[in-house]
Amino acid sequence: MSRCYCALLRKATRRVTSLYDDALEPIGINLAQFSMLRHIERGEPISMTELGRTIELERSTVSRNVKVLEGMGLVTTGSGKDQREAVVELTENGRQILTDGAPLWEGAQDKIEARLGTDAAAALKEMLLAL
């Protein structure tokens, strides 16, 4: 087993992401997309720049991911108060995906907690937040 924290975290992250992706598969969305929709919902209308800051991604990456969501009919983009800045909002389909996905996401959360145990899950969360 590797002693490298980064390698261990990356391996664990791939496994956890797969669990969430499998849970969200029935609604045709993956964890990254679901997470982005949730961040958009919390700040809408939200600029691409602010969305990038919120989810800690470069604006170009955010823009590419938003285009995919827009192609799926889950978000719309437009101009903000400053015409140079693009803003993102959910469509009704996007809101429905969040509604339908919430119990699926919760189910994935519950599976992880069941595998780790409540105390270990809480300790893990605390440790990750410390990073």
Side-chain angles (χ1 to χ4, degrees), residues 5-62:
Y5 293 114
C6 185
L8 291 170
L9 281 169
R10 289 183 67 158
K11 187 174 183 178
T13 298
R14 285 190 298 273
R15 288 180 180 172
V16 169
T17 299
S18 179
L19 194 145
Y20 282 97
D21 285 347
D22 290 349
L24 294 167
E25 186 177 15
I27 59 171
I29 197 165
N30 63 37
L31 177 62
Q33 293 164 333
F34 187 75
S35 178
M36 186 168 278
L37 289 174
R38 279 192 158 172
H39 280 92
I40 292 168
E41 179 187 42
R42 289 180 191 125
E44 71 179 323
I46 188 168
S47 73
M48 296 275 201
T49 303
E50 184 58 29
L51 183 57
R53 275 190 218 120
T54 302
I55 56 180
E56 298 183 20
L57 289 175
E58 291 185 18
R59 191 187 183 289
S60 60
T61 303
V62 170

Side-chain angles (χ1 to χ4, degrees), residues 15-127:
R15 288 180 180 172
V16 169
T17 299
S18 179
L19 194 145
Y20 282 97
D21 285 347
D22 290 349
L24 294 167
E25 186 177 15
I27 59 171
I29 197 165
N30 63 37
L31 177 62
Q33 293 164 333
F34 187 75
S35 178
M36 186 168 278
L37 289 174
R38 279 192 158 172
H39 280 92
I40 292 168
E41 179 187 42
R42 289 180 191 125
E44 71 179 323
I46 188 168
S47 73
M48 296 275 201
T49 303
E50 184 58 29
L51 183 57
R53 275 190 218 120
T54 302
I55 56 180
E56 298 183 20
L57 289 175
E58 291 185 18
R59 191 187 183 289
S60 60
T61 303
V62 170
S63 182
R64 280 192 304 275
N65 291 334
V66 165
K67 284 184 186 201
V68 170
L69 294 174
E70 192 170 28
M72 295 170 74
L74 304 177
V75 301
T76 60
T77 58
S79 296
K81 293 176 187 173
D82 179 345
Q83 297 297 313
R84 297 171 293 176
E85 183 66 74
V87 296
V88 187
E89 293 183 83
L90 296 178
T91 63
E92 286 306 312
N93 287 341
R95 291 182 202 295
Q96 191 60 52
I97 285 290
L98 288 177
T99 299
D100 295 346
L104 302 174
W105 183 87
E106 285 290 339
Q109 289 278 106
D110 292 345
K111 279 185 182 179
I112 292 169
E113 194 169 280
R115 287 183 187 176
L116 295 177
T118 305
D119 292 341
L124 175 61
K125 186 176 181 180
E126 190 175 314
M127 286 185 282

